[in-house]
Amino acid sequence: MATAAPPAPPATPPLRGVQPLRAGEGHSFFWRRLHSLTGIVPIGAFLVEHIISNFEAINGPLAYAQQVKFLNSLPLVRLLEWAFIFIPLAYHAGYGVFIWLRGRSNVNVYPWAGNYMYLTQRLTGLIALAYIAQHVWRQRFSGVMLPEHPGAAFHKVQVELQNPWMLAIYVIAMIATTWHFAYGIWLFAAKWGITPGDKARKRFGYVCAAAGAGLCLMGLISIWAFVGPKYANAPADVMPSQPPGVTMPAPDNPVPGSTNPEPSSLQR
């Protein structure tokens, strides 16, 4: 006598959050590792370079303009800009938002330090994304084109920071971005097996905290260079373009021991 087939189990709705990774299923492992790697190289490396370059603002508008001019004179700079900044940043931000939308915070149920760090990493990432989007648009693609007019770089940032709301946004974004990067380095080392064990992770946590605090301090000092009294009302362009055949005046006080140059066209 044939027996009746057992009833099918009731269909259950898919669980919220990021689904567990099973062997042979999906490509989540690859995309997560790529997301983690791009946060360090090239995006993290560019962040460090960007903060160091902006720190040149403490030496005045001309020094800052020379740094901007140097960066924009690198070979294949536009190709490098897209290949190592814009495209990796778009992927890192997009996949980070994807993880945030599929995940969920549970600090209200499990108020542990790791859960708070997870939540803070997501919030600082969103703050950094919103800031970078407006910053790139306002400083790179609108107004004076700094690649063609590097002498206007200091004045352009200074004018923007005269708005107290923009100044507050810059300060908050600097703190959020450096925190996100510092904790991202710690996560990278843990995920990639660089710091096995609790002791190694704890010690490396101090290193990441010190590095993040140092970068944040440099960034805040750079902001102060634009808004402080030392370089108030900087010229609109410290490297004005000269008409063809016209050179800048010779210095009034030539270097001792050197021969006096021929008078420039403006002195004749």
Side-chain angles (χ1 to χ4, degrees):
M1 180 176 178
T3 59
T12 57
L15 297 175
R16 293 184 58 193
V18 179
Q19 302 303 311
L21 180 65
R22 296 180 175 84
E25 295 184 6
H27 304 281
S28 177
F29 179 86
F30 171 79
W31 296 118
R32 283 178 174 271
R33 283 295 185 267
L34 183 60
H35 175 261
S36 176
L37 180 62
T38 54
I40 305 300
V41 179
I43 299 173
F46 171 72
L47 174 65
V48 174
E49 180 279 323
H50 193 61
I51 291 178
I52 293 175
S53 294
N54 284 340
F55 195 68
E56 193 66 24
I58 66 173
N59 294 319
L62 182 58
Y64 186 71
Q66 290 171 339
Q67 181 69 15
V68 174
K69 182 179 181 180
F70 165 74
L71 293 175
N72 283 279
S73 64
L74 294 175
L76 303 175
V77 63
R78 297 295 161 252
L79 177 62
L80 296 175
E81 192 175 56
W82 281 95
F84 294 102
I85 300 176
F86 293 146
I87 294 177
L89 181 60
Y91 168 74
H92 187 82
Y95 196 75
V97 171
F98 172 75
I99 294 175
W100 174 71
L101 291 175
R102 296 194 64 187
R104 56 181 176 180
S105 174
N106 57 0
V107 293
N108 58 329
V109 180
Y110 302 104
W112 298 332
N115 289 340
Y116 278 108
M117 299 292 274
Y118 173 89
L119 176 62
T120 307
Q121 186 72 347
R122 298 297 170 262
L123 293 177
T124 53
L126 292 176
I127 293 173
L129 175 59
Y131 165 75
I132 291 172
Q134 69 83 29
H135 179 70
V136 170
W137 172 254
R138 293 168 68 94
Q139 292 294 324
R140 177 66 177 82
F141 295 109
S142 67
V144 179
M145 295 292 102
L146 299 184
E148 291 77 23
H149 304 281
F154 193 97
H155 179 76
K156 188 175 183 179
V157 178
Q158 189 176 67
V159 170
E160 185 173 61
L161 292 181
Q162 287 176 354
N163 185 332
W165 289 104
M166 287 306 302
L167 177 60
I169 289 174
Y170 266 65
V171 172
I172 294 173
M174 181 60 62
I175 297 172
T177 303
T178 51
W179 195 99
H180 187 85
F181 175 59
Y183 186 58
I185 296 176
W186 186 89
L187 288 175
F188 175 84
K191 290 179 180 179
W192 288 72
I194 300 174
T195 53
D198 293 337
K199 289 185 178 180
R201 292 172 185 171
K202 184 176 181 180
R203 292 172 181 172
F204 190 62
Y206 292 129
V207 175
C208 294
L215 287 173
C216 184
L217 181 61
M218 290 180 63
L220 295 177
I221 292 175
S222 301
I223 293 174
W224 173 250
F226 290 103
V227 300
K230 186 174 182 179
Y231 303 115
N233 301 318
D237 194 337
V238 295
M239 292 181 177
S241 301
Q242 298 297 314
V246 177
T247 59
M248 294 297 291
D252 294 332
N253 298 315
V255 178
S258 63
T259 58
N260 291 327
E262 289 293 328
S264 69
S265 58
L266 292 181
Q267 293 175 314
R268 294 172 182 170

